[in-house]
Amino acid sequence: MAKTDDLIFGVATGDAMGFPVQFFKREQAKAANVTKMLAHWTGNYPAGSWSDDTSLTLALADSLGETGSIDYDDIMRRFLLWLEGGSYTPKGKTFDIGQTCFNAIERFKKGVPPLECGGQKERECGNGSLMRISPLVFYIQKKFGERAFENPQVFELIHNVSRLTHAHPIALLGCDIFVAMLFSLLNVSKKEKALLFAYEKALSFVEQNPEYKEAFSKYDRLLAPDFCTLPEGKIASTGYVVDTLEAAVWCFLTTDSYRECILKVVNLGGDTDSIGAVAGAMAGLYYADSLEKGIPEEWKELLQNKELIMSVAEKLAES
């Protein structure tokens, strides 16, 4: 299936560009003046290193590619292999895991069923499922076709993949909006149409499932007509799922190339690796056919363990 490598490399490159300034304050990020791949600020990770965002994305993509289906036990086993064995990492060593993801994987290790592992409290609405869920769009496209988001099963599927680590409705709806945008980007030429498509499909789901209405209201600003005109000072760049999705979409919609998009992410500071992974998935897909506007080759070439990234992307494409 076309464009799997563009999405997977889009995630990894965005993650690796943001990782060196992860958790910098905005003024610190701007002062760093990042224009190329850098080593992590601690000095412990060389340029091109990527974090848990890419590792968990690869684990999900590898499960989809190898099984050709959705196997929640298999996905969680791969998450556990990452956490305890260093699988799906740049150098065979696990690092940088959020507490909600850690708790969910530990529950699975203790025998809790996969779909009961995710955090259910509102304070557990970090971006840990949003950052890794992008490969699911290819499975949805293949299984459900061009009218996939008219099928309630698609929302159930997205929610279940999120529930492995993040089960609160706010996190579930963030994943709905993001995956719907990616699905639209596979088929349309204008990025603004992708956001409108995502809004319409998510709204339709909520109208049929009113118990999600309160959670959906958290995304009102993202889905407002004037969202793209918001100044940078109004964009938060934290690990809260709503902030992460807003920041990633804002950077994507207000730039004109993958490079511009990711550099705008980096300059926001905060949770730059996760926001870079989410924005990178969208920009990687959208600019896939443009040598000038796509992922810069000099960034991609510096990615650590890019052979693993390519192998997983190829496997997913062939599934």
Side-chain angles (χ1 to χ4, degrees):
M1 191 177 292
K3 298 189 176 180
T4 53
D5 59 331
D6 299 294
L7 183 143
I8 301 294
F9 272 99
V11 170
T13 306
D15 178 1
M17 286 295 294
F19 184 52
V21 295
Q22 180 191 33
F23 304 136
F24 277 32
K25 293 181 179 179
R26 191 159 296 179
E27 57 270 24
Q28 292 176 305
K30 290 183 182 298
N33 191 31
V34 178
T35 59
K36 60 183 180 180
M37 287 282 185
L38 299 175
H40 191 264
W41 65 271
T42 63
N44 294 329
Y45 307 102
S49 296
W50 30 272
S51 71
D52 57 331
D53 306 85
T54 301
S55 292
L56 292 173
T57 298
L58 292 175
L60 172 60
D62 206 32
S63 179
L64 294 172
E66 285 203 356
T67 68
S69 64
I70 301 292
D71 184 330
Y72 302 116
D73 276 286
D74 185 75
I75 296 168
M76 288 299 284
R77 281 195 295 270
R78 293 172 193 272
F79 289 175
L80 184 59
L81 285 172
W82 162 72
L83 179 62
E84 295 192 337
S87 298
Y88 306 110
T89 61
K91 296 291 185 180
K93 183 179 179 180
T94 305
F95 60 93
D96 196 27
I97 181 172
Q99 191 63 49
T100 303
C101 284
F102 177 82
N103 291 341
I105 298 170
E106 284 294 304
R107 291 187 193 107
F108 175 74
K109 182 181 175 181
K110 293 175 181 177
V112 176
L115 296 181
E116 298 175 19
C117 288
Q120 300 179 29
K121 299 175 182 177
E122 186 166 356
R123 64 179 174 81
E124 296 175 300
C125 284
N127 54 27
S129 60
L130 183 77
M131 70 188 193
R132 61 164 165 83
I133 204 168
S134 57
L136 186 60
V137 70
F138 297 109
Y139 178 83
I140 289 172
Q141 183 188 54
K142 182 176 181 180
K143 182 173 177 62
F144 296 96
E146 62 181 21
R147 301 181 69 176
F149 278 84
E150 296 176 19
N151 190 330
Q153 291 182 40
V154 167
F155 289 93
E156 181 181 5
L157 183 61
I158 295 169
H159 291 185
N160 283 346
V161 174
S162 177
R163 281 189 185 104
L164 298 174
T165 56
H166 293 67
H168 192 278
I170 294 173
L172 305 184
L173 288 168
C175 289
D176 288 339
I177 295 166
F178 179 44
V179 176
M181 277 197 71
L182 293 172
F183 184 84
S184 184
L185 289 171
L186 288 171
N187 300 290
V188 302
S189 58
K190 292 190 176 180
K191 58 179 78 171
E192 292 79 8
K193 287 185 177 180
L195 179 57
L196 178 60
F197 174 89
Y199 167 71
E200 291 175 344
K201 298 307 178 185
L203 177 61
S204 177
F205 169 80
V206 171
E207 287 174 342
Q208 297 297 317
N209 299 271
E211 67 270 23
Y212 286 89
K213 186 174 181 181
E214 182 179 353
F216 191 56
S217 69
K218 302 292 185 181
Y219 295 96
D220 282 350
R221 193 173 77 146
L222 171 65
L223 302 171
D226 62 347
F227 175 72
C228 289
T229 67
L230 290 174
E232 183 187 90
K234 296 292 185 180
I235 301 298
S237 50
T238 76
Y240 176 45
V241 63
V242 178
D243 289 348
T244 293
L245 187 58
E246 281 192 353
V249 172
W250 183 79
C251 289
F252 174 57
L253 293 181
T254 58
T255 52
D256 195 39
S257 69
Y258 184 95
R259 184 190 299 271
E260 289 178 13
C261 176
I262 298 304
L263 291 181
K264 198 162 193 175
V265 168
V266 170
N267 276 282
L268 290 178
D271 204 359
T272 44
D273 58 332
S274 296
I275 298 169
V278 175
M282 293 184 285
L285 274 186
Y286 187 72
Y287 299 111
D289 298 324
S290 173
L291 290 176
E292 179 183 352
K293 295 186 176 185
I295 304 170
E297 283 299 320
E298 68 269 24
W299 291 1
K300 189 187 293 188
E301 281 302 309
L302 283 175
L303 284 174
Q304 298 290 317
N305 203 359
K306 61 180 178 293
E307 295 81 11
L308 171 64
I309 301 171
M310 179 59 74
S311 172
V312 171
E314 289 176 349
K315 198 182 302 180
L316 180 61
E318 293 167 0
S319 65

